Amino acid sequence: MNISLLSQWFARLLAPSLLSLVITFLVATAILYEQHESKKQLQHHDLKLQSKQLAEWLDTNFSIINNILLEVKPQNSACNQQSLFELRSLMFNIAPVVEIGLVDRAGVLTCTSWQKHDDLILVEKPPKRYGLRFSGPLTMKYMQQPAFVLARTLSDGSEVNALVRLSWLRNQLKNKTSELGFVALINSDTGFPVISDGHYSMPVSNHFLPIDEEQLVADKFANRRLQVASYSPLKTLPELSIVVSEEQQILKINENNFSALWYITVIGLWGILTLLLYHLYAYLSDSSHQLKSAIRNREFINHYQPIIRSADKKIIGAEVLMRWQHPVEGIKSPVTFIPEAQEKGLLNQMTLNQLTLCEQELTAIFKLNPEFILTVNISLCHLQSTEMVNTLIRFSKKVPHLVLELTEDVLIDTDHQFIQDAFKQLTEAGIKIAIDDFGTGYCGLSYLSKLPVTYLKADKSFVASIGTDAMNADVLKLITQFSKRMNFITIAEGVETIEQARALDDQGVELHQGWLYSKAASAGLLQAMIEENDVEFH
Ligand code: CA
Ligand code: CA
């Protein structure tokens, strides 16, 4: 492979590889985004589950403690042997509680499960609010360590409370999050932590307060980090909530997302896409597939340009012309597709189809007019095909008068044996030859002596010159005189005005084609015109 071929190949590969690079990038980004989203969902789900489970666990324990407190009666404040025994046995049933205490209506701690207190230990006056409540963590002077207190006001206005070990609570909150997260038991109204593990922080916006139902907050926190937190209020103590929080940063794409397999997949995808696009591009840039599919879909139809006998304005024949009935672009003229069809070697097949169509469409016309002339445009490629020559011969048996129109440029190679042979076979079958667009070729006239020519079709440019271009009008005169001298029949193409028709009549040119009489028409229209003998001047 030489350098220029190599660079051509690279140039052809450049667009598909760039496009597939973009597609691969988009796909990879979409996958990463999807991964990120599902991780986020998973993280949110995990946080919700953890905060809910912790809240449920606390509720279970708090309701056990609540039930114990409900068993304490005002008379226990007597703090005698009997009531101390009762308090201790109650306390021993619940591990987290280190002490049960009794406070009188004035706020004096009178008795604990440990002992009777004779020295005046003033704590807070019990509120007149029934039901479980909490306070703390507060440092009990007499115990010298912080405690979390659960309390109830009894029917006589005194209070029973349980001191819960903070270490027990702490242990339950530990190790629930990564190093960047935190867990806390917080005040549902203020958000302040009663006890926490990790670096506790609150969302910058306090719209999450008060916490009266489970909620998830993903926001900027006071620690200036993006955190997501799940809040679950306790059922036994709605003033308290559990919060479990993680930093959102840990979800960010990092090098852990890019394993070797990831790189191999992405590069593989890029390679495969490049190849696919390369082939697609090659396929699309080769328009012959359009022609092939048009042949398959029978999109090529026949139009017939009538040949008029000027003396009586009768249609005595027609030239069959190919049209492409394009599904999107509408009817397309042969100049837009014949050269390519010829180049891609598709013209023979198209002409074979054309002949089959002629046979189907013109049977009725042949019956109406047993002398009907049908002219078919033929190129060099047709003559090179034995199948085509044989088909033309078979076809000629069904057509009263078959004429092949050859352009002068096709006739340059008339010396070739295969052309001679083809013409021999064709003329022996009674097929006539016409020279199309006569006077426009550049190949001299020697072929006229070698071929059995019957018709000369004077090119429409000469007809158009009548009355306008003296020089070309003279050439037309020469052509008609020459044709007469050689015993050829002249057909004038492109007759558009009555003046042109009259001038041609004057020169003895009897057969006319052109818009003056009719445009190329469908078989049905042609048949109607023949039946009504109706060729109107336009
Ligand atoms: Ca023609
Ligand atoms: Ca012509």
Side-chain angles (χ1 to χ4, degrees):
M1 196 182 277
N2 62 33
I3 299 294
S4 91
L5 271 177
L6 204 65
S7 63
Q8 266 180 28
W9 186 73
F10 267 118
R12 279 213 303 272
L13 210 57
L14 190 66
S17 69
L18 285 179
L19 186 59
S20 52
L21 193 66
V22 172
I23 296 173
T24 307
F25 174 76
L26 292 175
V27 170
T29 310
I31 290 172
L32 286 176
Y33 177 76
E34 180 59 36
Q35 274 180 359
H36 179 259
E37 279 301 299
S38 59
K39 268 168 103 181
K40 196 161 102 181
Q41 292 305 321
L42 205 65
Q43 186 199 39
H44 291 182
H45 179 261
D46 266 7
L47 288 178
K48 278 186 194 168
L49 195 69
Q50 280 191 36
S51 69
K52 201 177 157 149
Q53 280 176 348
L54 265 179
E56 279 171 1
W57 177 83
L58 274 183
D59 274 331
T60 308
N61 283 282
F62 285 0
S63 74
I64 291 171
I65 296 170
N66 187 38
N67 287 338
I68 295 291
L69 294 182
L70 280 170
E71 288 189 35
V72 178
K73 304 285 175 293
Q75 52 270 31
N76 285 96
S77 61
C79 217
N80 54 26
Q81 282 298 83
Q82 171 67 21
S83 58
L84 276 175
F85 174 75
E86 276 176 25
L87 289 178
R88 282 173 200 157
S89 22
L90 284 175
M91 191 193 78
F92 278 115
N93 284 331
I94 30 174
V97 173
V98 289
E99 185 195 272
I100 292 178
L102 288 157
V103 177
D104 70 12
R105 284 153 64 175
V108 178
L109 182 70
T110 53
C111 183
T112 70
S113 46
W114 300 108
Q115 60 183 339
K116 182 176 168 66
H117 285 269
D118 291 325
D119 45 340
L120 198 69
I121 299 175
L122 202 62
V123 288
E124 258 175 61
K125 245 176 141 180
K128 282 190 181 139
R129 186 157 65 85
Y130 302 98
L132 191 67
R133 61 174 186 272
F134 86 99
S135 59
L138 32 97
T139 305
M140 297 290 173
K141 267 186 202 155
Y142 67 98
M143 283 182 80
Q144 294 302 311
Q145 55 176 306
F148 178 76
V149 182
L150 289 174
R152 291 188 70 92
T153 301
L154 298 179
S155 53
D156 68 343
S158 68
E159 173 191 289
V160 57
N161 60 42
L163 258 60
V164 177
R165 274 189 289 133
L166 275 187
S167 58
W168 168 78
L169 261 178
R170 270 207 189 92
N171 278 338
Q172 293 310 318
L173 303 188
K174 254 187 197 166
N175 304 326
K176 298 285 180 197
T177 64
S178 73
E179 286 172 12
L180 297 168
F182 63 80
V183 183
L185 179 67
I186 61 169
N187 185 307
S188 299
D189 293 326
T190 61
F192 291 138
V194 175
I195 182 166
S196 68
D197 182 67
H199 304 283
Y200 181 77
S201 182
M202 281 205 280
V204 172
S205 145
N206 63 357
H207 67 267
F208 71 107
L209 293 172
I211 300 151
D212 44 18
E213 58 181 354
E214 285 182 9
Q215 57 174 311
L216 193 84
V217 178
D219 206 347
K220 198 166 179 189
F221 275 50
N223 57 15
R224 293 185 182 173
R225 293 200 297 234
L226 285 171
Q227 297 264 141
V228 54
S230 173
Y231 295 89
S232 299
L234 301 190
K235 291 193 177 77
T236 49
L237 266 176
E239 308 97 302
L240 291 175
S241 292
I242 282 288
V243 53
V244 183
S245 177
E246 274 286 9
E247 195 171 38
Q248 285 177 296
Q249 188 68 26
I250 60 167
L251 296 175
K252 284 265 167 71
I253 309 296
N254 54 38
E255 63 272 15
N256 296 337
N257 294 70
F258 304 110
S259 62
L261 184 66
W262 166 261
Y263 284 113
I264 290 169
T265 310
V266 167
I267 292 169
L269 179 67
W270 176 56
I272 289 168
L273 272 175
T274 302
L275 270 179
L276 283 177
L277 286 174
Y278 175 77
H279 286 294
L280 182 70
Y281 183 75
Y283 176 76
L284 291 178
S285 57
D286 175 12
S287 54
S288 71
H289 74 271
Q290 277 193 25
L291 283 175
K292 282 180 191 162
S293 88
I295 294 173
R296 269 199 308 278
N297 298 335
R298 305 197 173 280
E299 286 170 17
F300 294 103
I301 55 167
N302 287 349
H303 275 185
Y304 301 91
Q305 175 70 56
I307 300 170
I308 314 292
R309 185 166 55 210
S310 168
D312 55 5
K313 307 287 181 281
K314 239 186 118 173
I315 298 172
I316 54 123
E319 174 182 359
V320 58
L321 299 167
M322 210 178 278
R323 295 280 188 269
W324 184 353
Q325 200 163 37
H326 196 280
V328 179
E329 296 169 39
I331 299 282
K332 292 179 77 169
S333 135
V335 290
T336 62
F337 60 85
I338 292 285
E340 190 175 2
Q342 200 157 6
E343 191 191 319
K344 304 285 180 191
L346 298 171
L347 191 58
N348 271 1
Q349 186 54 54
M350 287 158 75
T351 307
L352 288 174
N353 293 352
Q354 182 185 47
L355 297 179
T356 311
L357 232 110
C358 277
E359 220 180 299
Q360 293 163 2
E361 294 180 338
L362 300 181
T363 316
I365 290 177
F366 295 156
K367 266 188 196 151
L368 274 175
N369 185 352
E371 299 294 313
F372 197 81
I373 300 167
L374 180 70
T375 74
V376 179
N377 291 286
I378 290 294
S379 300
L380 194 62
C381 68
H382 293 120
L383 300 173
Q384 286 168 325
S385 153
T386 318
E387 188 199 1
M388 177 58 75
V389 171
N390 291 337
T391 305
L392 283 168
I393 291 169
R394 265 202 314 278
F395 180 63
S396 72
K397 310 284 181 244
K398 292 163 184 162
V399 181
H401 197 93
L402 182 60
V403 178
L404 306 183
E405 295 192 15
L406 305 164
T407 45
E408 283 190 273
D409 48 0
V410 172
L411 298 167
I412 296 170
D413 295 321
T414 39
D415 285 339
H416 282 305
Q417 194 56 47
F418 76 90
I419 293 192
Q420 294 284 340
D421 290 347
F423 277 123
K424 192 163 179 284
Q425 282 176 277
L426 292 167
T427 48
E428 275 176 7
I431 298 170
K432 301 282 187 275
I433 305 294
I435 306 301
D436 202 2
D437 307 334
F438 185 77
T440 57
Y442 303 97
C443 63
L445 296 172
S446 62
Y447 60 86
L448 287 175
S449 60
K450 294 173 197 154
L451 289 180
V453 174
T454 310
Y455 297 92
L456 283 191
K457 293 190 79 175
D459 188 66
K460 53 181 173 286
S461 60
F462 300 120
V463 176
S465 70
I466 293 171
T468 58
D469 179 345
M471 176 71 105
N472 265 344
D474 285 346
V475 174
L476 180 66
K477 258 181 209 161
L478 282 175
I479 289 172
T480 53
Q481 284 165 11
F482 170 75
S483 183
K484 221 177 275 172
R485 178 81 51 86
M486 299 288 288
N487 283 329
F488 299 148
I489 301 165
T490 311
I491 302 174
E493 285 190 294
V495 182
E496 290 181 0
T497 64
I498 292 178
E499 290 70 35
Q500 289 168 351
R502 284 193 187 127
L504 288 163
D505 287 341
D506 290 346
Q507 291 175 35
V509 179
E510 283 195 321
L511 302 185
H512 299 181
Q513 271 181 291
W515 290 7
L516 173 65
Y517 306 98
S518 167
K519 287 189 180 180
S522 66
L525 198 58
L526 179 72
Q527 188 178 339
M529 286 193 287
I530 293 170
E531 279 171 355
E532 292 164 23
N533 197 15
D534 177 23
V535 179
E536 283 178 20
F537 286 159
H538 294 272

